[in-house]
């Protein structure tokens, strides 16, 4: 127990150690690169000066050894840096993603309450990547620039005087300030705008017939054109900002390089070349700070979103529903419901036998759909399928069909279904009267089917799973009285499945049959 409780701390220490090791290797590699650049320039200049002299006692042994040492350190440092930093960044990405799913699993209600949509999940995964890769794209660049500037200032000050060292330090600080003021979320905003625009275009293509019949095609085209124009304008503005930042840092870098080289006492040619090349390496590194600042701003925004995703609707006054249990010993207890689901202080309990039906009734807004979603979520958390059957299957009021045929949609639930099996189930639900077969295409989102047909197709797909508990929200929506009675008759005749449905009111024939238990949710009148 104690070992498992220490495990997260151990993993956290290892991750921090890996990141610190990667940053150290990055600093060593860049210092070696700058040292190699400066020492090589000094060495070549010193050799040239010595060769031009009539008599010279210049020894090339020590400088050439230093060049080789810097070169080896640079190669080894760069290779090791890539290995360690990428491992540390990937571990951070994996930790962020795992934490995201852990938070969702801990609440359990997030998906059922519609808080975890596909779009939100996609964005959260991208945010986890941005937060993790900030170690390479932002933190490392800032750390390397700081260490390189410190080392270069010390080397320049020691080889010449304090004046050029101070000029170099001031130039790097000014470039860092300009980089920090650069907008950091431009790329993120542009990606979000493009994503929204793509979504609207796809929706418009799917609904083009309806839009044309409504006379809204021209308005949609004008709105889409306006959005394209805004996107292009935003891109141009962002490009101008990036260009201004690049130009400003380049000019400051050039001025700093010139001022560093000419400031102070006149050095010899080798020292002059050493200072110039070393300063050039530092200033080239400082020019990358604009990209580092942008990556840092993107990572901070990603972290804020990752830690502020709404997962629950906690409220100390929320009522509780306790001890729901079916005859198959599938149940749950002590979970919270949103305030609109039940009256304050109301506690519900029910036992439903196998093959029986619970009907949740109430007018619109009384909390029927919320209650059914919560039941389904809690059953999924508390149980597992038995004998290959799922514990619970829920059919929401806004269920979804995928583009394809009826057969391909139903086989998502049960891959063993043949076309003949699908046709038999369609006949059971009276869908064959509409000419529907296993090979009938449903169109995008089931667009080619009527509302009543969709409800029965959703129900048939759920029945193909043969769950222990079947939860259906408004199964008779869009059906005439005769078809609605037939569908309810099918649901009351499932001998091995407990059925929970939501209706505005129980039909008289079903109420008098004695086959259902009612759970009214209507709020009391004023």
């Amino acid at each position: 127990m104690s070992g498992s409780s220490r495990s997260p701390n151990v993993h956290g220490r290892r991750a921090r150690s890996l990141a610190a090791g990667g940053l150290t290797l990055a600093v060593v590699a860049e210092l070696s690169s700058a040292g190699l650049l400066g020492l090589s320039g000094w060495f070549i200049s010193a050799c040239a000066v010595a060769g031009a002299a009539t008599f010279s006692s210049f020894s090339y042994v020590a400088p050439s050894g230093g060049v080789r040492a810097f070169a080896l350190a640079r190669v080894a440092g760069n290779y090791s840096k890539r290995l360690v930093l990428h491992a540390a960044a990937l571990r951070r990405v994996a930790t962020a993603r795992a934490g995201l799913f852990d938070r969702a699993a801990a609440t359990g209600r997030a998906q059922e309450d519609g808080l975890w949509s596909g779009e939100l999940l996609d964005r959260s995964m991208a945010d986890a990547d941005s937060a993790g890769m900030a170690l390479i794209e932002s933190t490392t660049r800032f750390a390397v620039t700081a260490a390189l500037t410190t080392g270069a200032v010390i080397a320049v000050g020691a080889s010449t005087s304090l004046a050029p060292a101070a000029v170099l330090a001031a130039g790097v600080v000014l470039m860092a300030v300009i980089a920090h003021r650069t907008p950091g979320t431009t790329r993120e905003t542009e990606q979000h705008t493009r994503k929204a625009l793509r979504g609207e275009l796809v929706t418009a293509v799917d609904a083009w017939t309806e839009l044309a019949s409504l006379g809204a095609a021209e308005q949609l085209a004008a709105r889409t054109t306006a959005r394209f124009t805004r996107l292009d304008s935003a891109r141009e503005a962002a490009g101008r900002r990036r260009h201004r930042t690049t130009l400003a840092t380049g000019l400051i870098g050039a001025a700093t390089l010139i001022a560093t080289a000419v400031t102070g006492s006149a050095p010899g040619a080798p020292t002059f070349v050493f200072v110039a090349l070393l300063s050039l390496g530092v200033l080239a590194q400082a020019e990358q700070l604009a990209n580092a600042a942008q990556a840092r701003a993107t990572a901070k925004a990603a972290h804020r979103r990752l830690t502020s995703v709404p997962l629950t609707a906690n409220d100390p006054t929320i009522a509780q529903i306790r001890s729901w249990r079916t005859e198959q010993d599938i149940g749950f207890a002590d979970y919270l419901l949103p305030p609109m689901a039940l009256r304050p202080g109301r506690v519900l309990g029910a036992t439903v036998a196998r093959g029986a039906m619970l009907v949740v009734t109430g007018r619109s807004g009384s909390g029927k759909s919320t209650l059914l979603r919560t039941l389904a979520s809690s059953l999924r958390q508390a149980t597992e399928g038995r004998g290959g059957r799922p514990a619970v299957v829920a059919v929401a009021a806004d269920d979804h069909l995928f583009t394809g045929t009826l057969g391909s949609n139903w086989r998502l639930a049960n891959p063993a279904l043949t076309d003949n099996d699908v046709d038999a189930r369609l006949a059971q639900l009276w869908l064959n009267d509409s000419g529907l077969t296993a090979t009938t295409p449903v169109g995008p989102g089931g667009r080619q089917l009527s509302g009543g047909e969709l409800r029965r197709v959703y129900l048939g797909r759920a029945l193909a799973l043969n769950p222990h508990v079947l939860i259906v929200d408004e199964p008779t929506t869009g059906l005439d009285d005769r078809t609605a009675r037939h569908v309810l008759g099918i649901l009351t005749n499932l001998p091995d499945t407990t059925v929970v449905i939501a209706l505005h009111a129980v039909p008289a024939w079903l109420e008098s049959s004695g086959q259902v238990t009612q759970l009214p949710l209507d709020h009391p009148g004023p």
Side-chain angles (χ1 to χ4, degrees):
M1 181 105 159
S2 61
S4 63
S5 64
R6 287 196 301 266
S7 180
N9 293 331
V10 172
H11 287 305
R13 286 196 297 270
R14 288 177 179 173
R16 288 191 293 271
S17 299
L18 198 62
L23 288 174
T24 302
L25 289 170
V27 169
V28 169
E30 292 302 327
L31 286 175
S32 299
S33 297
L36 178 62
L37 181 64
L39 184 57
S40 298
W42 178 90
F43 183 46
I44 294 172
S45 300
C47 289
V49 171
T54 305
F55 298 99
S56 175
S57 60
F58 176 73
S59 174
Y60 65 86
V61 177
S64 64
V67 169
R68 291 186 181 93
F70 275 129
L72 290 174
R74 175 175 176 268
V75 172
N78 277 324
Y79 179 74
S80 303
K81 172 193 74 173
R82 289 190 181 95
L83 289 179
V84 178
L85 275 181
H86 279 83
L90 290 176
R91 180 168 293 189
R92 288 191 173 195
V93 171
T95 300
R97 290 185 173 185
L100 202 62
F101 286 111
D102 286 344
R103 293 176 66 216
T107 62
R109 285 179 44 204
Q111 184 174 359
E112 293 298 326
D113 288 345
L115 296 177
W116 285 98
S117 63
E119 181 180 355
L120 177 59
L121 184 61
D122 179 64
R123 191 196 73 189
S124 299
M125 291 297 97
D127 286 342
D129 292 346
S130 297
M133 295 306 291
L135 176 64
I136 295 176
E137 298 175 349
S138 176
T139 307
T140 300
R141 290 177 178 175
F142 280 113
V144 165
T145 302
L148 194 57
T149 302
T150 302
V153 166
I154 294 174
V156 170
S159 60
T160 57
S161 64
L162 293 179
V167 170
L168 178 60
V172 173
V173 170
L174 186 57
M175 293 172 72
V177 170
I178 293 176
H180 182 72
R181 293 174 60 86
T182 301
T185 56
T186 302
R187 179 176 59 183
E188 180 186 8
T189 303
E190 180 181 323
Q191 290 174 346
H192 177 74
T193 304
R194 286 164 51 195
K195 184 176 180 181
L197 187 56
R198 284 197 303 268
E200 179 168 316
L201 289 175
V202 170
T203 303
V205 170
D206 287 343
W208 186 256
T209 303
E210 291 89 338
L211 290 169
S213 65
L214 292 171
E218 291 185 3
Q219 293 89 324
L220 178 64
R223 189 174 75 169
T224 304
T225 301
R227 291 196 174 190
F228 270 119
T229 302
R230 285 197 298 270
L231 177 59
D232 287 339
S233 300
R235 283 177 175 174
E236 291 177 1
R240 287 193 295 269
R241 286 194 294 270
R242 286 193 295 267
H243 178 71
R244 286 197 298 268
T245 301
T246 302
L247 181 61
T249 54
L251 290 175
I252 292 173
T256 302
L257 179 61
I258 296 172
T260 303
V262 302
T263 303
S265 58
T271 303
F272 177 84
V273 173
F274 170 76
V275 171
L277 290 178
L278 189 60
S279 301
L280 182 62
V282 173
L283 295 170
Q285 182 66 39
E287 286 184 357
Q288 299 182 27
L289 291 180
N291 293 331
Q294 182 173 350
R296 179 173 177 269
T298 301
K300 287 179 65 176
H303 179 72
R304 282 196 302 270
R305 285 193 296 268
L306 286 173
T307 55
S308 63
V309 173
L311 295 179
T312 59
N314 292 326
D315 189 325
T317 64
I318 293 174
Q320 292 185 348
I321 179 167
R322 300 174 180 271
S323 303
W324 172 283
R325 188 163 298 280
T326 69
E327 202 172 79
Q328 301 95 309
D329 198 32
I330 297 174
F332 56 85
D334 298 337
Y335 67 90
L336 300 178
L337 292 174
M340 75 285 285
L342 300 171
R343 300 191 199 74
R346 182 174 186 178
V347 179
L348 299 179
T351 299
V352 183
R354 178 185 302 165
M357 176 185 287
L358 175 71
V359 181
V360 180
T361 60
R363 60 191 178 186
S364 298
S366 60
K368 301 187 300 299
S369 298
T370 302
L371 178 58
L372 262 60
R373 285 198 302 270
T374 311
L375 294 178
S377 175
S378 298
L379 284 172
R380 290 192 186 106
Q381 293 176 60
T383 63
E384 295 180 358
R386 308 180 183 192
R389 298 172 59 194
V392 59
V393 171
V395 181
D398 56 350
D399 217 329
H400 182 76
L401 282 185
F402 295 92
T403 301
T405 64
L406 283 173
S408 64
N409 270 275
W410 281 14
R411 275 187 280 271
L412 292 173
N414 185 354
L417 288 177
T418 65
D419 283 355
N420 290 334
D421 295 332
V422 174
D423 289 339
R425 291 181 180 271
L426 291 172
Q428 180 190 21
L429 292 164
W430 292 359
L431 286 166
N432 61 328
D433 294 345
S434 303
L436 301 183
T437 68
T439 59
T440 299
V442 299
R447 191 179 300 278
Q448 296 187 20
L449 305 180
S450 69
E453 290 171 343
L454 279 174
R455 294 305 297 159
R456 283 177 285 169
V457 168
Y458 297 150
L459 180 59
R461 184 171 60 186
L463 290 173
L465 285 165
N466 190 26
H468 286 286
V469 179
L470 176 63
I471 299 177
V472 189
D473 192 2
E474 300 288 355
T476 59
T477 298
L479 303 180
D480 59 79
D481 291 341
R482 178 171 171 269
T483 306
R485 180 165 183 162
H486 175 71
V487 168
L488 291 176
I490 293 174
L491 294 177
T492 56
N493 191 31
L494 299 175
D496 200 33
T497 297
T498 300
V499 178
V500 183
I501 65 173
L503 294 172
H504 289 289
V506 180
W509 67 268
L510 184 59
E511 186 175 11
S512 63
S513 68
Q515 296 178 279
V516 301
T517 300
Q518 293 191 51
L519 183 61
L521 291 186
D522 279 325
H523 294 289

